[in-house]
């Protein structure tokens, strides 16, 4: 097709944006209308397909939203939608946790889930007393700890005594706001080797893969694939690549992890920089989504249209039915003794 310029009599080639995803069932993002979210299109399309999970024993989905309300709240509709459609496709369940429910106890008990989608805030910090001597990724929870209250309220202090060892071991710490955050040592402590087998994690938080310390720990515990942000990221970028990786690629295209992240970067590139002060030369390049773990990992073994699966691949000609046997002649009626020749008198 061509575009005809109003001010001239020439024409220039016009190419449609290449935003189709990698599979024939992927949502064409160029056709998503108005303010509709792409995951809604995927949700409406999913009943048309039969999806074969690659890991049928580990299909459930967890969505963690530690900043659902309050200061610095993160709009979470999109990533919850991705989680719900993913569970729909895998014929599994989805658990969504918000705010204070994203706490130390819950984050230490995610081994039963095949997919963990995290959307919140993060950073890279140099933990006090950490022998690494360089900043490593942290995930900020919805749980807070009031240090002053710990000193004055015995019941409150006892309630939070269980995590005191985490603080002393530098597995967790707090922001000035009292928000608790966890690092790679937290996951290394609470998860046994192999406990995260066949799982995939999406760490939609700033700096979640500034280094691979956190991702490598999850992989060491069995996670097949971990996706995260190279540095501070815009929320919209995080949602877009999450949709592309998990729904458009891994489910609707049955792509593997490497293909999925490459497709997300091809379509969305990088996030706009969160802070212009970081780029004195005017460069506005922000985070890229990165991948760690098994590049060949798949969530879905195959996807096919229901109408196709209902047609036998090699239909056979049905055999002619055998003719029904001839009915046997009805037996002669039995004659009661002494009555066959008796005439009935009117």
């Amino acid at each position: 097709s061509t575009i005809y310029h109003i001010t001239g009599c020439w024409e220039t080639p016009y190419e449609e944006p290449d935003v189709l995803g990698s599979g024939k069932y992927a949502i064409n993002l160029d056709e998503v209308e108005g303010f509709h979210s792409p995951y809604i299109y995927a949700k409406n399309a999913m009943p048309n397909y039969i999806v074969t999970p690659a890991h049928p024993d580990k299909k459930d989905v967890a969505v963690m939203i530690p900043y659902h309300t309050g200061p610095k709240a993160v709009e979470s509709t999109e990533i919850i939608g991705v989680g719900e459609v993913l569970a729909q496709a895998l014929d599994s369940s989805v658990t969504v946790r918000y705010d204070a429910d994203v706490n130390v106890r819950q984050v230490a008990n995610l081994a039963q889930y095949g997919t963990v989608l995290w959307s919140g805030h993060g950073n890279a910090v140099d933990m006090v007393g950490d022998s690494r001597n360089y900043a490593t990724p942290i995930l900020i929870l919805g749980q807070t700890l009031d240090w002053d209250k710990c000193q004055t309220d015995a019941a409150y202090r006892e309630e939070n005594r269980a995590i005191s060892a985490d603080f002393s071991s530098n597995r967790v710490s707090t922001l000035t706001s009292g928000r608790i955050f966890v690092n790679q040592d937290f996951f290394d402590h609470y998860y046994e080797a192999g406990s995260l087998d066949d799982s995939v994690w999406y760490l939609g938080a700033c700096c979640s893969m500034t280094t691979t310390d956190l991702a490598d720990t999850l992989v060491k515990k069995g996670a097949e694939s971990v996706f995260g942000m190279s540095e501070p990221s815009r929320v919209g970028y995080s949602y877009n690549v999450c949709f592309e990786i998990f729904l458009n690629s891994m489910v609707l295209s049955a792509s593997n992890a490497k293909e999925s992240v490459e497709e997300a970067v091809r379509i969305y590139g990088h996030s706009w920089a969160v802070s212009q002060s970081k780029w004195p030369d005017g460069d506005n390049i922000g985070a890229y989504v990165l991948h760690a773990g098994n590049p060949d990992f798949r969530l879905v073994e195959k996807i096919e249209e229901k109408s196709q699966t209902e047609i036998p691949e090699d239909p056979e000609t049905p055999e002619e039915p055998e003719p029904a046997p001839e009915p046997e002649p009805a037996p002669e009626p039995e004659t009661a003794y002494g009555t066959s020749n008796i005439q009935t008198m009117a």
Side-chain angles (χ1 to χ4, degrees):
S1 60
T2 59
I3 296 177
Y4 291 88
H5 293 273
I6 297 175
T7 57
C9 59
W10 66 91
E11 60 184 37
T12 57
Y14 174 69
E15 295 182 0
E16 292 290 340
D18 184 13
V19 290
L20 300 177
S22 60
K24 66 178 181 178
Y25 303 133
I27 303 301
N28 183 346
L29 301 178
D30 199 41
E31 295 178 356
V32 175
E33 299 177 355
F35 295 100
H36 293 160
S37 298
Y39 80 85
I40 296 178
Y41 286 73
K43 179 179 180 179
N44 292 338
M46 208 58 70
N48 299 323
Y49 309 122
I50 290 181
V51 175
T52 304
H55 308 280
D57 295 331
K58 204 160 189 180
K59 302 185 298 181
D60 290 346
V61 181
V63 182
M64 311 298 278
I65 314 289
Y67 279 86
H68 184 61
T69 59
K72 297 187 178 181
V74 173
E75 168 55 42
S76 54
T77 304
E78 302 291 332
I79 198 164
I80 293 172
V82 171
E84 291 175 343
V85 179
L86 189 57
Q88 175 190 9
L90 299 176
D91 191 24
S92 63
S93 64
V94 59
T95 300
V96 183
R97 300 196 182 279
Y98 303 98
D99 296 330
D101 202 23
V102 183
N103 53 46
V104 168
R105 183 173 61 86
Q106 294 296 346
V107 177
N109 288 279
L110 296 173
Q112 70 268 36
Y113 296 102
T115 302
V116 177
L117 305 179
W118 187 290
S119 180
H121 295 293
N123 208 333
V125 302
D126 188 353
M127 299 282 284
V128 176
D130 192 339
S131 60
R132 294 176 183 82
N133 294 319
Y134 62 87
T136 55
I138 63 168
L139 298 177
I140 304 172
L141 311 187
Q143 182 181 5
T144 60
L145 187 66
D146 187 333
W147 287 104
D148 292 335
K149 193 173 181 180
C150 279
Q151 303 300 319
T152 60
D153 189 326
Y156 183 81
R157 182 170 60 251
E158 188 62 31
E159 178 185 344
N160 290 280
R161 185 180 298 279
I163 61 175
S164 61
D166 293 321
F167 280 94
S168 61
S169 301
N170 285 317
R171 295 190 287 265
V172 307
S173 190
T174 58
L175 305 176
T176 55
S177 64
R179 286 263 189 171
I180 294 176
F181 63 81
V182 301
N183 64 5
Q184 67 278 351
D185 293 335
F186 176 88
F187 293 94
D188 191 35
H189 176 75
Y190 282 104
Y191 289 93
E192 297 179 355
S195 61
L196 301 181
D197 282 358
D198 298 331
S199 68
V200 55
W201 292 58
Y202 179 76
L203 305 179
C206 290
C207 304
S208 56
M209 284 184 66
T210 294
T211 71
T212 59
D213 293 74
L214 176 54
D216 287 347
T217 299
L218 295 172
V219 171
K220 182 176 73 172
K221 299 300 181 177
E224 288 277 356
S225 283
V226 181
F227 301 92
M229 298 298 154
S230 63
E231 52 192 281
S233 169
R234 300 283 182 179
V235 174
Y237 175 79
S238 178
Y239 289 156
N240 286 338
V241 297
C242 182
F243 168 83
E244 180 57 41
I245 289 171
F246 284 89
L247 293 187
N248 235 15
S249 289
M250 278 194 161
V251 173
L252 291 171
S253 304
S255 299
N256 64 28
K258 180 177 183 292
E259 294 165 340
S260 299
V261 73
E262 288 178 349
E263 187 69 0
V265 172
R266 182 185 71 80
I267 294 174
Y268 293 106
H270 59 81
S271 167
W272 293 116
V274 174
S275 174
Q276 280 297 118
S277 63
K278 291 186 61 178
W279 312 106
D281 58 356
D283 188 355
N284 199 31
I285 294 178
Y288 278 93
V289 60
L290 301 176
H291 171 257
N294 178 8
D296 296 321
F297 172 77
R298 294 178 186 273
L299 268 177
V300 168
E301 191 67 34
K302 65 178 179 179
I303 179 172
E304 50 194 339
E305 292 181 87
K306 286 184 177 178
S307 58
Q308 293 176 346
T309 60
E310 291 169 357
I311 301 175
E313 294 181 1
D314 297 306
E316 298 180 358
T317 303
E319 298 179 358
E320 291 291 331
E322 295 182 2
E326 292 290 335
E328 297 181 2
E332 292 291 331
E334 295 184 1
T335 303
Y337 291 112
T339 62
S340 58
N341 295 320
I342 297 176
Q343 300 290 324
T344 303
M345 301 296 289

